Amino acid sequence: MSGAVSCEILGVVGARPNFMKIAPIMAAFSSLAARPIATKLVHTGQHYDPSMSDSFFEQLGIPRPDVNLEVGSGSHAVQTADIMRAFEPVLDRERPKAVLVVGDVNSTIACALVAAKKGVKVIHVEAGLRSYDRGMPEEINRVLTDQISDLLYTTEKSALDNLKREGIDPARVHFVGNVMIDTLRHNLERAVPAERVLGARPAGGYAVVTLHRPANVDDPAILGSLLRTLAAIAERLPVVFPMHPRTRAAAERFGLLGLLERPGIRLLAPLSYLEMLGLNREAKVVLTDSGGLQEETTALGVPCITLRENTERPITMTEGTNTLTGPDTAKIMACFEDIMASGGKTGRIPEYWDGRAAERIADHLRGWLDRLP
Ligand code: UD1
């Protein structure tokens, strides 16, 4: 590699759940009192629809990416390889002291791998989460990214045990809290009221549903069963369902969309961050297979039914409002009826989910960077 160092940190984002994580980090780096951390941002283009990407940059005040790799969709191999090929020349040109990746999407592992192989330090935010389910593409991304990271920032204490089990030196691991919850706290007051998102707020409340995991949406039998369960829930409580493009495409392909065409179900396009936050804050219950929503509902004190058999975020169950049901109709309905009857788990806010995680990262990282040779 040749040329001058143009920034200290090269940050990477690619997919929707990355954007709310990078937003407070970029802000904390640029406003650090000690000395700002010079940062450039790369968007891999893994998510490219305005509703899945641009709206988050606008609402969350994320600086425009310095580079967009524009890789788009593809199989895991194609998408990961395309990101790697496109990221390498950017890394050569920018020569940062470290690459910072967040979360567990394909963009995370792809850029971490390019950096590690070039001897550029890797920083992973949201390290150490494990579902122990290697059938999830994100689990593979998590395990591999952590193995090649030099600095690992964690959101909950269970992460350190996971990392120790995989032989990672605890000296590299720092518990800082949850940057996604920073974004939630900073934006609560700006959230769009449910009444404005929906036109009118249903008198008896409503459920919010999100669904997009391959395990739930790529199999017609499982997706069909889940959509029939949602139809049953809609008999009891109005259901608002902002549909991920992957899920809409699968439902159309399998001829299942008709199951959702009924008065109790409101299908929406993917929502902006502030609309989704407003909707979730006022929901009676959220049913989801998302990782981030399990955490956001815990922070909001809203009961969450997770349509998965496992979670990489166990603190949302032990301390928060989350219950795992998997895709099983009887379990989902039992949990739903319990929430309707009793209001569900109230939970408490986990340690360091206080809106200051990005500040902790910036403070720590400044010293770490200054100590690098
Ligand atoms: C990705 C992440 C997942 C994350 C999710 C949030 C991986 C392995 N998965 O899954 O962890 O929870 O993002 O959304 O990285 N599509 C569009 N417009 C877009 C982006 C995607 O229409 O802007 C459609 C395409 O048909 C694409 C499909 O959605 O093939 C899936 O997109 P992809 O990025 O492969 O994975 P996600 O399911 O979004």
Side-chain angles (χ1 to χ4, degrees), residues 44-108:
T44 65
Q46 178 175 346
H47 283 176
Y48 43 84
D49 281 346
S51 66
M52 300 288 284
S53 179
D54 299 1
S55 82
F56 292 82
F57 280 79
E58 287 155 20
Q59 290 192 340
L60 302 179
I62 306 168
R64 269 177 73 86
D66 297 278
V67 183
N68 193 321
L69 307 179
E70 295 182 349
V71 296
S73 304
S75 68
H76 284 272
V78 166
Q79 191 174 60
T80 308
D82 283 353
I83 297 169
M84 290 179 70
R85 290 177 69 125
F87 184 62
E88 181 172 38
V90 176
L91 193 56
D92 286 346
R93 194 171 67 231
E94 300 296 341
R95 304 192 70 225
K97 289 187 172 175
V99 167
L100 181 146
V101 295
V102 298
D104 56 15
V105 302
N106 285 345
S107 302
T108 310

Side-chain angles (χ1 to χ4, degrees), residues 1-12 38-43 64-69 86-100 114-115 118 120-121:
M1 295 200 295
S2 62
V5 174
S6 78
C7 59
E8 291 178 286
I9 297 289
L10 194 57
V12 174
T39 309
K40 284 193 174 178
L41 187 62
V42 174
H43 189 335
R64 269 177 73 86
D66 297 278
V67 183
N68 193 321
L69 307 179
F87 184 62
E88 181 172 38
V90 176
L91 193 56
D92 286 346
R93 194 171 67 231
E94 300 296 341
R95 304 192 70 225
K97 289 187 172 175
V99 167
L100 181 146
V114 173
K118 284 190 167 280
V120 177
K121 302 251 184 263

